[in-house]
Each structure stands twice: as C-alpha cells, then as structure tokens.
Amino acid sequence: MRVMITGVTGTLGAALGRASLARGDTVLGVGRKATAPASVCSESIANAQCTSRDAADLLDRDPDLVLLCAGQIESEVGPGGLPLPHTTESIHRINSVFPSLLALEAAERRRARRLDVIAIGSIADGSPSAFGPVYHASKASLHHFVTGAGPIIHAMNPQVRLRLYRPGVIKGPLSWAPTVRLNERGRRIRARRCQGAPEADVVAASILAFAAGDDWVGGDREPLSFRLLKHFWALSPNLYYRLQIGTWRRVNKFGTGEGDPPEV
C-alpha cells in the first residue's frame, strides 16, 4: 500500500510513518519545509500545503491512503493571551483549509481502486475554549467539513472515502502547548491529563487499525469532562459562555483585566 502522511516530522506523523513502514507499506512523508528521515518514510516530499495546486501535486503521486496529520497549535500568543493574526491564519490553513482542498481535489479524480483520505482531527472540538480558541475553531471546521462534504464526495465518486479520526492528548512536548495561557493552577489541572496520555506509537496503531476498517468516524476515548462540556455548550450556549468568562479569570496567567498583575 502507498501511504501518504502529511506532518510526518511531527510526533504523531513520525509514529504513523514508523508503523506503516513496519508493516511493509511505501510511505510518502510530506512536510512543509523540513525533510523527514528514512526511519519514518520511504520518500520525503516538500509541499507547502496551501493551495489546490499543492493538493493536486500530492495526489499525482497516486497514494492508496492519505493521512492528513499536519497541524498547528497555539504555541505563542499576544498581549492578554490574544491569538496572533499570523498564527491564526496559518493554523486555519493547515488544520482545516488544506485538508478540505485535498479532499475536493480527490473527489474529481477517477480511480480504478479506492482512495481513503483520513483527516486527523481532535477531541477538543465539541465546545469553544478560551485556552485554544484558534485551534478549537480550526478543528471544529475540519470536523464539520469532513462529515458534511464526505457523503457528497462519496456519492459523486464511490472510490473516494473522506473519513475522520479524533485522537486525544498524546504524551509529548506538544501536549503542553496550552500552558502559554495557563497559570500554575491551570497547569496542575492540565498536567493530570498529560501524564495519563498514551504515547504516539499507541495512537498511531489505533489510527492504522481504523484505516483498515469501514467506520467513517473513529477516535480515542474522550474524557468525561470533555463530554459534559460539549453537552453543556449544545444545551445552553449562553451559560457556557459565562462559564468560559469565569474560568478564564481564574486560571489564565494574564490577570483578570481589572487591575490584577499578570501571574507568571
């Protein structure tokens, strides 16, 4: 099988590459700039992952499975914890816009064999969050596109399946990215979730098992707190918004906005 993995130099992408190589696949590893080592892919491909032309160039390599694993999180913020404009644009482009463009490009290609395009989403999509607003928004956009456009694509081109896998927290340095907005109280809460997170190799094995099956949407176990917040947001968005305002004041490291000094 020819497996294409975007974001192959990342924690999860590299784990997917190693696991695919171990089972005998030809792995086409895609990165925006950096080249991937031979330990994670058979061939390293540089691609900007911005435009429809970029998507077409990747699909010209005739993969059987595309794992859209490239992503970006909010690892830097502006004054008061606000998102930065350039990272907001970049996060949306790589997390949701380019995967959507590649799916649409795939839909227009007639194939003699099946092509699975699996977008790697996130369980952090079910409710808004002041601690990762751009990331959450980009993943929610991706999830809605996959589950909304997927049926249209499959009806138009039965050889193409647009699918979604929603992994949870993965143990590693990126799982700590939200600390850019958290004070010590928030960091302790986050630490408990990170310490119990699975290694990337475990998550990669689950994703490849999902890819071999016929489910349209799969994912890792969702924490109960995530489920409760998701239902809270759906049932009472105004109260949920008020909860976010109160939570931000308690566990952000930038002060309350009412004269309190920043907590660093």
Side-chain angles (χ1 to χ4, degrees), residues 15-215:
L16 284 165
R18 290 190 296 269
S20 298
L21 285 175
R23 67 181 191 180
D25 295 329
T26 297
V27 179
L28 309 174
V30 182
R32 282 180 283 183
K33 293 180 181 179
T35 56
S39 60
V40 300
C41 64
S42 312
E43 178 184 352
S44 182
I45 302 167
N47 184 287
Q49 300 171 66
C50 287
T51 66
S52 296
R53 181 66 257 172
D54 294 333
D57 287 344
L58 292 181
L59 292 171
D60 285 345
R61 295 176 179 269
D62 198 29
D64 300 295
L65 169 64
V66 179
L67 297 171
L68 294 168
C69 193
Q72 185 177 345
I73 51 183
E74 291 169 79
S75 55
E76 53 178 325
V77 296
L82 278 174
L84 296 175
H86 70 279
T87 57
T88 296
E89 181 181 20
S90 178
I91 288 170
H92 276 289
R93 183 187 304 117
I94 196 65
N95 286 4
S96 63
V97 175
F98 184 73
S100 303
L101 293 176
L102 189 141
L104 294 174
E105 179 66 28
E108 296 182 356
R109 298 190 173 212
R110 298 301 153 188
R111 295 175 56 89
R113 65 189 195 282
R114 190 169 70 188
L115 170 63
D116 274 330
V117 178
I118 299 179
I120 305 300
S122 169
I123 59 172
D125 75 311
S127 54
S129 170
F131 295 93
V134 181
Y135 177 80
H136 280 243
S138 67
K139 289 300 185 180
S141 174
L142 175 66
H143 294 195
H144 282 286
F145 183 86
V146 169
T147 55
I152 303 173
I153 289 172
H154 191 56
M156 171 182 157
N157 188 346
Q159 291 287 54
V160 176
R161 301 196 304 178
L162 179 58
R163 304 162 68 192
L164 175 68
Y165 191 92
R166 301 165 65 240
V169 176
I170 300 170
K171 188 175 292 184
L174 292 180
S175 67
W176 279 98
T179 60
V180 296
R181 291 188 173 97
L182 293 175
N183 61 24
E184 280 305 311
R185 179 182 180 184
R187 284 174 63 90
R188 288 194 297 271
I189 295 171
R190 178 70 179 176
R192 290 196 292 270
R193 182 167 289 136
C194 293
Q195 289 165 359
E199 301 284 353
D201 290 340
V202 174
V203 178
S206 297
I207 292 174
L208 292 179
F210 167 76
D214 292 319
D215 287 343

